[in-house]
């Protein structure tokens, strides 16, 4: 078991945790959630190497506890000629080769005793790692992820999503006491996302996974750690049950808050009347009554219930348009016989057009050329791509350094984007969660989610009438993902979006462009759903999930109207849907 008690930690410019406590126990699969920049990655660093950090509080962990880590941005030396099998089994193969070398040396040595000792030590190490079964275990994991076809390929030939899965397998192979993964789902296509789900669910040890992926959250975890506003909340159970618990609490607290506000307003009126009387009646008893009422009102104010895990501030994402193209069937982007190849042909004979109000998702496997196509449309220097003269294009890149300059502060980034004053920038970026001293931080110091939020803020500020969005939900917390879906729904221009997030596609897009056999074909949303149901997801689950979302939106509306009776009826309906899920 890993135990954290009353842990507090701050950077010079920001307090991250205030007396947080939690435990991780054997075989628990724990999802670690929280808004971008709340300190999830830093807490992981503290768990992995507590000696590096000066924190207050207690961290109890067996010194022999083996921790393996899959980082947010894994790197691989592409100059190495390593196969997938050799990469996953690297530690085992190294000891295996050492044992073979010792055996060879034994044939000619005169110091057999020393070699026997060395041989036994290597053999014991190999056995303690489960070396006898490592080849079989690699094959099992490759089969589980449906990636056996990659076994003899060079790692340098893998797509980013495939490499992320291979890294997960590599770290899982030694069966560590604790496996930590920081957003392992980012950029994974539908097939690889299911593979990751299978790997997570097959793992027998303790898992701590930072993820904002709603599909994984609903399918892989039996414990939730929620970090928010410098505090942490533990929940033993599934993510859906945790959200349901939050919603119930929200209804209860909001009902109490309305009653408290009514009481405070009643006492405000009494105090105003007493003050009015005191202006023409100077009796001491009147003054004492006024003071008593004021003190009571102050106590009412002080006892207001605060719920940091219920009222989580969502960013106010709004995609405005400077020059709206009035005629809906105007073609704004025309792609005719587009072709792209690097070491091999990726896309050929690609033809499609985007109209001024179309919202379209490009769907295809990792490494199939989607990002290259979107980048070429943005640059508009390809013979096969024609952009309407009235179009202003904004671009969000999955490679954040393409759009953001790491050496800039947030203020400098928006001065470069055309803002005139720092006050104007502060007011604008506060809608996206950037308040206080963080605006003076270098962009390089921000989390992946914060950088994507900045990109969304820049896209919105551009007032463009065509948006090119490459994996816009990557690194974003679930609250921001929902805010982004709403912004896409309200937008009056055209959107061309690359996404592997099923929810964002079905909730916001009109149709999809599917990459199939190195070309692109148009597909209706109905057919896309059918394809996804058949290939990757469970149809009944996803249809129930959509009904669940609809009921949740009705509850939010009932709460806005302070109709608590309707909200409670809808909560009962929601509970039945969650049971089905």
């Amino acid at each position: 078991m890993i135990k954290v008690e009353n842990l507090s930690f701050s950077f010079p410019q920001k307090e991250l945790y205030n007396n947080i406590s939690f435990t991780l126990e054997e075989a628990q699969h724990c999802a670690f959630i929280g808004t971008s920049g709340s300190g999830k990655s830093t807490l992981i660093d503290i768990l992995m190497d507590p000696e590096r950090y000066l924190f207050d509080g207690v961290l109890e962990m067996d010194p022999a506890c083996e921790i393996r880590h899959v980082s947010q941005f894994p790197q691989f030396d592409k100059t190495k000629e390593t196969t997938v099998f050799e990469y996953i089994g690297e530690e085992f193969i190294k000891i295996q080769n050492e044992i073979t070398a010792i055996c060879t040396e034994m044939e000619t040595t005169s110091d057999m005793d020393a070699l026997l000792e060395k041989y036994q030590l290597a053999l014991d190490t190999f056995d303690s790692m489960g070396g006898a079964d490592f080849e079989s275990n690699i094959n099992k994991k490759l089969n589980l992820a449906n990636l056996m076809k990659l076994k003899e390929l060079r790692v340098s030939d893998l797509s980013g999503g495939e490499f992320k899965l291979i890294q997960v397998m590599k770290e899982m192979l030694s069966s560590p006491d604790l496996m930590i993964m920081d957003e392992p789902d980012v950029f994974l296509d539908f097939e690889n996302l299911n593979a990751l789900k299978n790997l997570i669910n097959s793992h027998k040890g303790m898992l701590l996974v930072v993820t904002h992926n709603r599909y994984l959250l609903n399918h892989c975890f039996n414990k939730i750690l929620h970090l928010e506003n410098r505090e942490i909340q533990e929940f033993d159970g599934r993510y859906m049950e945790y959200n349901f618990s939050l919603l119930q609490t929200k209804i209860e607290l909001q009902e109490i808050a309305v009653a408290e506000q009514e009481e405070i307003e009643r006492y405000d009126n009494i105090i105003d009347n007493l003050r009015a009387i005191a202006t023409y009646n100077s009796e001491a008893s009147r003054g004492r009554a006024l003071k008593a009422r004021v003190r009571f009102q102050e106590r009412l104010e002080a006892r207001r219930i605060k719920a940091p895990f219920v009222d989580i501030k969502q960013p106010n994402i709004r995609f405005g348009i400077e020059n709206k193209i009035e005629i809906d069937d105007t073609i704004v982007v025309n792609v005719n016989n587009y072709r792209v190849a690097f070491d091999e042909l990726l896309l050929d004979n690609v033809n499609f057009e985007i109209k001024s109000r179309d919202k379209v998702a490009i769907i295809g496997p990792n490494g199939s050329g989607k990002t290259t196509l979107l980048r070429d449309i943005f640059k508009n220097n390809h013979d096969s791509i024609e952009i309407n003269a009235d179009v202003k294009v904004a671009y969000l890149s999955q490679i954040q350094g393409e759009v953001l300059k790491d050496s800039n502060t947030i203020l400098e980034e928006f001065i470069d984007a055309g803002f005139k004053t720092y006050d104007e920038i502060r007011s604008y970026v506060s809608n996206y969660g950037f308040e206080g001293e963080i605006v003076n931080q270098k962009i390089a110091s921000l989390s992946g989610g914060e950088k994507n939020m900045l990109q969304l803020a820049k896209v919105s500020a551009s007032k463009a009438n065509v948006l090119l969005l490459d994996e816009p939900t990557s690194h974003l917390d679930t609250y921001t993902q929902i805010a982004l879906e709403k912004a896409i729904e309200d937008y009056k221009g055209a959107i061309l979006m690359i996404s592997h997030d099923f929810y964002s596609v079905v909730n916001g897009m009109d149709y999809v462009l599917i990459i199939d056999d190195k070309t692109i074909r148009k597909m209706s949303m109905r057919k896309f759903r059918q394809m996804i149901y058949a290939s990757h997801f469970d149809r009944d689950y996803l249809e129930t999930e959509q009904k669940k979302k609809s009921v949740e939106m009705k509850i939010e509306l009932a709460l806005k109207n302070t109709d608590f009776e309707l909200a409670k009826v809808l909560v009962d309906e929601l509970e039945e849907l969650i049971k089905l899920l």
Side-chain angles (χ1 to χ4, degrees), residues 428-444:
Y428 178 73
V429 299
S430 67
N431 292 315
Y432 292 81
F434 298 101
E435 297 175 322
E437 288 306 305
I438 193 171
V439 296
N440 295 310
Q441 281 184 228
K442 297 285 187 187
I443 287 171

Side-chain angles (χ1 to χ4, degrees), residues 20-34:
I20 63 171
S21 300
F22 62 91
T23 59
L24 293 172
E25 298 182 9
E26 189 177 352
Q28 277 187 331
H29 285 189
C30 178
F32 190 13
I33 64 172

Side-chain angles (χ1 to χ4, degrees), residues 181-214:
M181 296 194 274
D182 196 350
E183 297 196 50
D185 50 89
V186 171
F187 307 138
L188 294 188
D189 61 33
F190 295 123
E191 189 169 342
N192 286 335
L193 183 64
N194 260 320
L196 177 61
K197 181 194 79 169
N198 292 340
L199 288 169
I200 289 173
N201 288 338
S202 70
H203 188 67
K204 305 299 183 190
M206 190 161 42
L207 267 175
L208 179 64
V209 182
V210 177
T211 183
H212 306 302
N213 186 283
R214 286 168 279 184

Side-chain angles (χ1 to χ4, degrees), residues 238-356:
R238 299 186 304 160
Y239 177 73
M240 273 184 286
E241 293 159 352
Y242 175 62
N243 266 350
F244 182 68
S245 171
L246 283 187
L247 191 58
Q248 285 180 308
T249 305
K250 184 173 185 175
I251 293 169
E252 291 166 9
L253 293 182
Q254 211 158 312
E255 193 170 12
I256 292 168
V258 167
E260 283 184 346
Q261 185 59 37
E262 288 173 355
E263 192 173 0
I264 287 167
E265 287 171 2
R266 188 167 64 85
Y267 269 85
D268 280 343
N269 291 332
I270 292 171
I271 289 167
D272 288 343
N273 290 335
L274 286 171
R275 282 192 175 123
I277 293 168
T279 59
Y280 60 82
N281 187 333
S282 59
E283 289 180 19
S285 61
R286 299 285 183 186
R288 286 195 297 274
L290 176 59
K291 285 180 182 177
R293 294 289 183 178
V294 169
R295 280 197 300 271
F296 186 71
Q297 192 225 29
E298 287 172 350
R299 287 199 295 274
L300 281 177
E301 286 281 0
R303 84 176 194 201
R304 279 180 188 265
I305 294 173
K306 294 179 176 62
F309 296 96
V310 174
D311 294 319
I312 296 163
K313 187 177 178 182
Q314 282 190 327
N316 183 22
I317 305 171
R318 297 181 67 184
F319 297 135
I321 293 183
E322 205 164 69
N323 298 311
K324 184 180 173 186
I325 297 173
E326 296 296 338
I327 303 171
D328 288 352
D329 62 356
T330 301
I331 296 171
V332 291
V333 177
N334 186 35
V335 177
N336 183 34
N337 200 26
Y338 174 84
R339 184 178 192 274
V340 63
F342 292 108
D343 294 336
E344 61 175 304
L345 181 66
L346 291 179
L347 291 171
D348 191 23
N349 194 27
V350 170
N351 301 278
F352 64 87
E353 58 187 34
I354 305 294
K355 294 179 181 177
S356 60

Side-chain angles (χ1 to χ4, degrees), residues 493-506:
I495 294 176
L496 187 58
M497 178 177 80
I498 296 171
S499 181
H500 298 305
D501 180 47
F502 177 84
Y503 299 93
S504 296
V505 174
V506 298

Side-chain angles (χ1 to χ4, degrees), residues 446-460:
L446 302 178
S447 70
E450 288 172 318
K451 288 179 182 178
N452 247 26
M453 281 300 303
L454 270 192
Q455 284 204 81
L456 287 169
K458 286 188 72 175
V459 166
S460 179

